[in-house]
Amino acid sequence: MAKYTFILEVICEVDKLNVAILGAGSIGSLIAAKISNYGVDNILIHARGEHGSAMALNGIEVEGLDSFTIKDESMIISLDEVGFYTGLEKQIDILFITCKANDVVSLMEKSINLLNENSKVICLSNGLGHVEVCMDFFGPHRVFAASISHGAWRPAPGIVNWAGRGNISIGQFGEGPGLNEAKLVMNLLSESGLNPKWEDDGRKLVWSKVLLNIAINPVAALIGCENGFLLQSNLFELCSSIMIEGANIARQERVNLPSDEELNSRLHEVIKSTSNNFCSMLQDVKKGRSTEIEFLNQVVVQRAERYGIATPRNNMLTELIKSINS
Ligand code: KPL
């Protein structure tokens, strides 16, 4: 009976939720569409460019593993070009940070007025250092580390292709909130079909995703291929050796990672499950946008230098990707 009452309470709370999504890249748009499809009170999406305008005019169309359209009137689109939406002050229950690594600080600062004392922040941007920055700014009691292994890309403005089914992992980071306080967001993601998973160790969670991104993203971006192309044994070995360089730095920082063998099988699994996906760095390169290399391979190299460890592969990839950007 007690359990039943708890479930009912959670369902009722979910019905009254206000959610904000900062950053409508492929992942932010997928989360926004799936949550809207499930239904919350208000969903505020901060977006920019042609994709933002298309969503404001016609909503979001999801294709790939699922197929549905969310009408523009079901969402509030805050267009970066127009300014940050000023409604819903102190009314946002869950704030998802899904923007590019380079935008985390500026969007975090703009969104502070949306939060109240119970709001929770889910930090999903790729790379190292964001959770710490968000905890400093929003207060540690509000912030969860998170990572996503769903694959998604945007074939055209207003459209998101859900190319690979994965999970959204939510984790406790240091003194941050724990599982009990994550139940609302876990339930929302579960009802929305986004497979949430809880992870006690948020640092491990962040590093585990970073290890996948440093191994897959720059290589796929340089070749210009779908992730699945990296399953060829010579390329997979290259990706693995890049990842293991990063894993050695994480272990130096006492992050409790599994064995190299397990890391390799996880890498294989993620490349396979996102094999039809064009990774985010390739999408950035193709569109002439700046990439997240600074928060991925470059930060690994910088930390390695601190510990006197060589990371030649990560170093080379950093230089190559940065030369495309410059
Ligand atoms: O996170 C990703 C990305 O593209 O940034 C992966 C998991 C590599 C999926 O493409």
Side-chain angles (χ1 to χ4, degrees), residues 126 148-151 209 213 216-217 227 270 274 277-281:
N126 280 338
I148 184 156
S149 59
H150 291 284
K209 180 69 193 315
N213 287 134
I216 300 172
N217 295 22
N227 292 352
V270 170
T274 62
N277 198 40
F278 293 104
C279 77
S280 54
M281 195 172 285

Side-chain angles (χ1 to χ4, degrees), residues 15-291:
D15 279 346
K16 285 189 252 133
L17 275 185
N18 291 328
V19 175
I21 304 206
L22 300 188
S26 316
I27 291 300
S29 306
L30 177 68
I31 295 176
K34 294 288 284 177
I35 288 178
S36 304
N37 203 29
Y38 167 65
V40 286
D41 250 17
N42 289 295
I43 185 150
L44 165 62
I45 305 165
H46 188 75
R48 63 160 62 119
E50 276 185 277
H51 182 61
S53 311
M55 286 195 299
L57 286 173
N58 304 314
I60 310 179
E61 190 183 326
V62 176
E63 57 173 46
L65 295 178
D66 207 347
S67 160
F68 61 93
T69 302
I70 300 294
K71 295 216 174 89
D72 51 299
E73 59 259 28
S74 324
M75 319 173 271
I76 303 167
I77 303 291
S78 163
L79 282 179
D80 199 60
E81 291 80 356
V82 178
F84 198 86
Y85 180 76
T86 51
L88 293 176
E89 192 168 320
K90 293 199 187 324
Q91 289 178 61
I92 291 297
D93 302 292
I94 304 175
L95 177 76
F96 287 94
I97 301 194
T98 51
C99 58
K100 288 277 157 209
N102 320 48
D103 295 328
V104 170
V105 170
S106 75
L107 287 180
M108 172 185 89
E109 286 168 356
K110 286 178 185 157
S111 64
I112 184 75
N113 292 340
L114 297 173
L115 304 190
N116 57 51
E117 67 273 24
N118 296 318
S119 309
K120 296 288 177 274
V121 176
I122 315 297
C123 198
L124 268 158
S125 296
N126 280 338
L128 289 175
H130 309 305
V131 185
E132 292 89 331
V133 167
C134 284
M135 284 178 117
D136 266 0
F137 186 76
F138 291 122
H141 59 292
R142 282 173 163 159
V143 180
F144 291 96
S147 83
I148 184 156
S149 59
H150 291 284
W153 58 287
R154 284 180 293 151
I159 304 178
V160 59
N161 184 301
W162 186 13
R165 197 180 299 277
N167 297 98
I168 297 187
S169 301
I170 311 276
Q172 177 164 13
F173 201 92
E175 298 303 299
L179 175 58
N180 246 344
E181 286 162 283
K183 286 210 166 118
L184 196 62
V185 66
M186 301 276 291
N187 194 57
L188 172 66
L189 293 173
S190 162
E191 295 292 337
S192 308
L194 287 167
N195 303 337
K197 266 184 20 187
W198 175 251
E199 171 62 70
D200 285 326
D201 183 348
R203 280 177 77 228
K204 179 175 164 190
L205 178 63
V206 170
W207 262 104
S208 303
K209 180 69 193 315
V210 165
L211 292 180
L212 297 170
N213 287 134
I214 63 170
I216 300 172
N217 295 22
V219 181
L222 288 166
I223 299 175
C225 62
E226 291 181 350
N227 292 352
F229 193 75
L230 304 178
L231 288 171
Q232 295 176 52
S233 62
N234 55 338
L235 289 175
F236 184 78
E237 270 168 40
L238 174 68
C239 294
S240 158
S241 64
I242 298 160
M243 178 183 68
I244 300 304
E245 274 188 7
N248 290 337
I249 306 308
R251 291 190 181 112
Q252 190 76 17
E253 297 188 356
R254 304 282 181 269
V255 179
N256 186 18
L257 291 179
S259 65
D260 287 356
E261 205 185 347
E262 270 181 68
L263 289 175
N264 277 327
S265 67
R266 173 92 184 112
L267 177 63
H268 200 272
E269 201 182 287
V270 170
I271 296 181
K272 211 167 158 196
S273 67
T274 62
S275 59
N276 296 329
N277 198 40
F278 293 104
C279 77
S280 54
M281 195 172 285
L282 174 56
Q283 295 177 53
D284 289 339
V285 167
K286 275 188 172 170
K287 298 214 165 102
R289 296 186 297 239
S290 57
T291 69

